[in-house]
Amino acid sequence: MNKRNEKPRTLKSVLRIPYEMAQGPAWTHFFEGFKQKKILGTKCNECGRVLIPARPFCPRCFEPMEEWVEVAQEGTIVTWSYVNYTYFGVTADMIPQVPVTVKLDGTDCGWWGGLIGGFDVKNFDLVNKKVKVGGRIKAVWRDKVEGNMYDIDHWEIIK
Amino acid sequence: MGRMGRAVAVIGTGQTKHGRRDDVSYPDLVREAIQAVFEDAGITIQDVDAIVYGSMPSMMEGVAFNHFYMADALRAVGKPLLRTETCGSTGQSIAQTGIYWVASGMADIVLVVGSEKQHEGDAQATMMTIPDKITLPMVGGAPVAFSMQSREWMGYFNIDEAKAREAAAIVSVDCHDGGLNNPLAHIQMKVTKEEVMNAKIITYPVRLLDVCPSSDGACAVLFASKDKARKICKKPAWVKGMGFRGEEYYTGDSNKAVWQSTIGAAQEAYKQAGITDPRKELDVAEIYNPFTYHELMFMECLGLCPPGEAPDYVIDGVFSPDGELPCNPSGGVLCTNCIGATGLIRLAEAARQVTGKAGPMQVEGAKLALSHAMGGLEQFNAVTIIGSKL
Ligand SMILES: [Zn+2]
C-alpha cells in the first residue's frame, strides 16, 4: 500500500476543556452535610427507600425525595477490588488501592464511595485476609473537610 | 415490545484486521471494513438506503462527531445517516438501530458500521467521564468497575475463590485458543491455565490474562429485508430476536450478581426467537467478555446456566469448544476490543457461524447463535439472536 517507504506519522495533541457542573439543591445539601462530617440520605415517601448519595428524586418512583435522613457512618461491604494499575488521574504512588462499595446502616443501597485504608493496603495478602464481602467498615473523615467526595479519607475495617 | 415488524436478514459482514493500526488513518481503517462488507455481500453502495454508525464517545479519539470524519469512508454522502452510541454495547445498539430501520419498512438495505481506534486516545480517561464528577469522581477505569461487579457476584453467591479463579482461567485459555483460529483477532497467543492464574493482579480478582486488549478496528454489517435478501444473497442469516435494557445510574442501587438489564435483554430476545431453553437450543454464543469473570456472570444472567453456577459449568467444559454450547469461538472481546465495533463483531461472528462461513472458528452445524454486549459502567445490555432459518 505504501510504495514510498515512508513510515506513516502520528500527530500528538492534548485537549484541555473546562467545565462548570451544576450540583442542584440535593447534592448541594448532601455536601453541606459532609462539612459537618454527617452523611445525609434522602427518603422516598412512595417506596420508603433511603438512598445515598442524596437524590433529588426516586429513580424508581420518580417522586421528589424531600425527606432528609442522617444515616450511620458504619456499614457492610458489598464488594471491593485491589487496583494495581495506573490509569488517567491515578499515578504510581497511589496504587495499589482498595475501592469499596458499602451498604451503610439505615440505607437501602450500596455506595461506591471511596477507598479502604488504615492499614498497609499495598500488601495484597493482608488485604485479602482483612477485606471481606459482608465485613464491616466505618468512615474516617479528613481533618479539614471541604464538602466534596474526598472528605471521607478512607473506610476503616471494624470487627 | 414483542413483535419484530418485517423480517430482517444479515446479507454480509466485513471486518478489518484488528490490532495496533497506526499504519492507517481512522477513515482509512473504516474504509477497510466497508470494502470487506461489500465484497462479502456482492452489492454496491447504490443498493444501500441508509447508514448507521457508532463508536465510543467522540472524545475517545480526539475528533468530535466522528461520523462526519468518516462520512466519505462510510459512503454516507447523500444518504440518511444515524449515529447511535451506548459505550461498550454500541455495536449491538447500532445493529438494532439498523434492524429497526429495515423492520419498520422505512429502508430495505441498511449498512451498519462500528469502529474504534483506541491507540489514538486515552480510553480510560474518556471512560472516567462516564460517571459524573460530582458524586462519583473516584469511580474510574473499566477494569475497576468490572472487577467490583465480579467480586460482588462471588460474594453474593458465596462462590469459592479458587473455583471462580479456575473457571475464569479456562475462559481465558479457550478464548486465546479461539483467537489463534481467528486471523483478524488482535491477540494471537497460546496461554495455559497456570499462566492465567499466576499473572500479575490488575484489579483483583482480575489478572493480566483476564483482560482484553485495547484494539483498533472496524466492523460493518449489511441488513436487508426478506425480499431483498432472497434476491441478493444465497445464504442469508436471519435476525430471530433482540432485546435491549437500560439500568439505574448508581451502581449500588441494584445487585450486579443478578444483573437485571442483562436478564431483561436476554429474556426479550429469547421470547421473540421462541427460545425457552437457551443452553440446549443455541449452538454457539458470542458473549461480551472484556474480562473473563464478566463472561462467567453473563453466562448466568443470559440464562445459559443457573445463577451462581457458571464456574461449575465452565469447569465441566459445557462452554468450551467441544462442550454443549461453545462460547466465543472467535476469541471474543478478550482477544479483540475495538469498542464501538465490539458488539457488532459479536453479531457478525454469530451470522458467520449460522451460515457456515466461520472458517477455522466454525462450530459444526451451528444454526442458532447468540450475540451480546454490555455498555457503560453497567447501564446497558443488548442481546441479538441470529439464526440460519427465517
Ligand atoms: Zn421510591
Side-chain angles (χ1 to χ4, degrees):
Chain A
M1 192 157 131
N2 189 341
K3 299 184 190 80
R4 285 173 303 280
N5 229 3
E6 292 165 349
K7 187 178 184 299
R9 298 186 204 177
T10 57
L11 169 75
K12 300 215 186 302
S13 173
V14 174
L15 303 176
R16 292 179 71 90
I17 306 172
Y19 294 93
E20 190 173 306
M21 297 173 173
Q23 302 194 26
W27 291 341
T28 298
H29 191 60
F30 179 65
F31 289 121
E32 285 300 313
F34 273 29
K35 285 188 185 169
Q36 294 156 47
K37 301 191 179 178
K38 289 180 176 175
I39 304 174
L40 303 175
T42 45
K43 185 174 179 179
C44 174
N45 287 320
E46 285 286 314
C47 67
R49 293 187 306 155
V50 174
L51 301 180
I52 49 166
R55 314 291 166 87
F57 60 91
C58 175
R60 296 188 189 164
C61 308
F62 214 58
E63 294 296 317
M65 285 182 107
E66 285 160 338
E67 190 182 335
W68 288 84
V69 186
E70 185 181 350
V71 304
Q73 308 207 353
E74 293 183 17
T76 304
I77 296 172
V78 176
T79 186
W80 60 276
S81 183
Y82 174 88
V83 177
N84 190 34
Y85 85 113
T86 58
Y87 51 97
F88 185 79
V90 174
T91 49
D93 58 314
M94 292 162 72
I95 60 157
Q97 54 176 231
V98 183
V100 65
T101 298
V102 57
K103 185 178 178 297
L104 292 181
D105 299 345
T107 69
D108 297 288
C109 61
W111 184 30
W112 183 354
L115 304 171
I116 299 237
F119 66 95
D120 180 15
V121 295
K122 295 191 193 307
N123 179 340
F124 174 73
D125 291 331
L126 192 60
V127 169
N128 201 23
K129 213 173 101 194
K130 285 176 81 89
V131 186
K132 299 280 172 208
V133 171
R136 300 281 296 169
I137 51 177
K138 74 167 189 203
V140 177
W141 297 87
R142 287 193 178 166
D143 292 336
K144 199 168 158 273
V145 287
E146 293 174 344
N148 63 42
M149 281 300 294
Y150 298 98
D151 286 346
I152 295 176
D153 184 73
H154 64 267
W155 295 89
E156 189 175 270
I157 307 277
I158 48 175
K159 283 292 161 200
Chain B
M1 297 293 280
R3 282 175 54 87
M4 281 281 299
R6 294 204 301 172
V8 181
V10 177
I11 60 165
T13 71
Q15 294 179 47
T16 60
K17 169 70 185 135
H18 309 301
R20 187 177 185 109
R21 294 298 310 272
D22 46 16
D23 58 314
V24 289
S25 75
Y26 200 171
D28 292 344
L29 182 75
V30 168
R31 181 169 176 266
E32 206 174 298
I34 303 288
Q35 284 182 304
V37 77
F38 281 121
E39 200 171 306
D40 187 46
I43 63 170
T44 69
I45 189 64
Q46 279 71 40
D47 300 308
V48 172
D49 297 318
I51 291 149
V52 183
Y53 174 77
S55 71
M56 280 292 273
S58 298
M59 70 167 78
M60 188 114 145
E61 288 102 3
V63 178
F65 291 120
N66 62 4
H67 51 312
F68 173 58
Y69 190 24
M70 304 306 160
D72 303 322
L74 291 168
R75 311 229 60 191
V77 179
K79 307 262 184 196
L81 170 62
L82 281 179
R83 176 187 179 86
T84 305
E85 65 179 51
T86 59
C87 231
S89 51
T90 291
Q92 283 278 308
S93 289
I94 54 180
Q96 296 191 354
T97 305
I99 294 165
Y100 283 135
W101 215 330
V102 176
S104 75
M106 296 289 285
D108 285 323
I109 299 183
V110 176
L111 171 63
V112 173
V113 186
S115 69
E116 212 66 64
K117 223 166 183 296
Q118 281 213 56
H119 289 100
E120 296 205 351
D122 186 334
Q124 296 306 324
T126 301
M127 285 182 219
M128 292 209 48
T129 67
I130 290 168
D132 73 87
K133 285 283 162 286
I134 301 166
T135 64
L136 300 173
M138 61 272 275
V139 171
V144 186
F146 299 163
S147 298
M148 298 281 276
Q149 292 155 2
S150 305
R151 196 69 195 75
E152 180 177 354
W153 163 74
M154 287 160 66
Y156 182 81
F157 288 114
N158 203 13
I159 296 168
D160 177 61
E161 219 173 294
K163 189 203 275 182
R165 178 57 278 176
E166 188 190 353
I170 292 170
V171 167
S172 178
V173 169
D174 287 350
C175 280
H176 283 94
D177 285 350
L180 284 170
N181 287 332
N182 181 353
L184 300 178
H186 181 174
I187 301 298
Q188 292 176 326
M189 63 189 260
K190 180 91 189 152
V191 302
T192 66
K193 244 164 82 169
E194 289 65 34
E195 284 167 344
V196 181
M197 293 197 285
N198 296 314
K200 182 190 170 212
I201 294 176
I202 301 298
T203 47
Y204 183 77
V206 164
R207 292 171 186 263
L208 188 61
L209 295 173
D210 295 305
V211 186
C212 65
S214 295
S215 313
D216 306 336
C219 178
V221 173
L222 281 158
F223 291 97
S225 64
K226 184 170 75 179
D227 290 350
K228 289 279 185 187
R230 291 245 153 99
K231 253 180 239 151
I232 292 165
C233 188
K234 268 199 227 100
K235 206 172 180 188
W238 299 95
V239 177
K240 304 295 291 179
M242 61 185 197
F244 187 99
R245 291 290 183 272
E247 187 96 22
E248 290 167 313
Y249 174 63
Y250 283 103
T251 65
D253 281 9
S254 53
N255 176 349
K256 288 299 115 33
V258 187
W259 198 328
Q260 289 304 327
S261 56
T262 322
I263 294 167
Q267 291 307 317
E268 176 67 38
Y270 294 153
K271 193 175 82 188
Q272 292 176 8
I275 293 171
T276 54
D277 189 345
R279 188 177 70 249
K280 297 226 156 21
E281 292 173 56
L282 292 165
D283 299 306
V284 55
E286 283 282 338
I287 301 169
Y288 187 77
N289 67 340
F291 301 88
T292 53
Y293 285 87
H294 244 178
E295 184 172 333
L296 300 174
M297 301 171 71
F298 288 137
M299 284 165 172
E300 297 176 7
C301 295
L302 294 169
L304 307 181
C305 66
E309 294 182 23
D312 302 284
Y313 278 71
V314 167
I315 290 167
D316 286 348
V318 173
F319 301 117
S320 285
D322 297 327
E324 184 183 355
L325 176 59
C327 288
N328 295 324
S330 67
V333 189
L334 203 64
C335 290
T336 303
N337 194 13
C338 26
I339 308 178
T342 290
L344 191 62
I345 293 172
R346 309 276 71 70
L347 186 147
E349 294 298 351
R352 294 172 72 196
Q353 286 287 348
V354 301
T355 51
K357 289 164 75 173
M361 301 174 277
Q362 185 65 48
V363 173
E364 209 45 50
K367 290 186 175 63
L368 197 60
L370 172 142
S371 64
H372 160 251
M374 187 278 291
L377 289 178
E378 57 183 37
Q379 281 80 8
F380 312 113
N381 264 284
V383 172
T384 310
I385 307 292
I386 302 292
S388 61
K389 293 198 196 80
L390 177 59

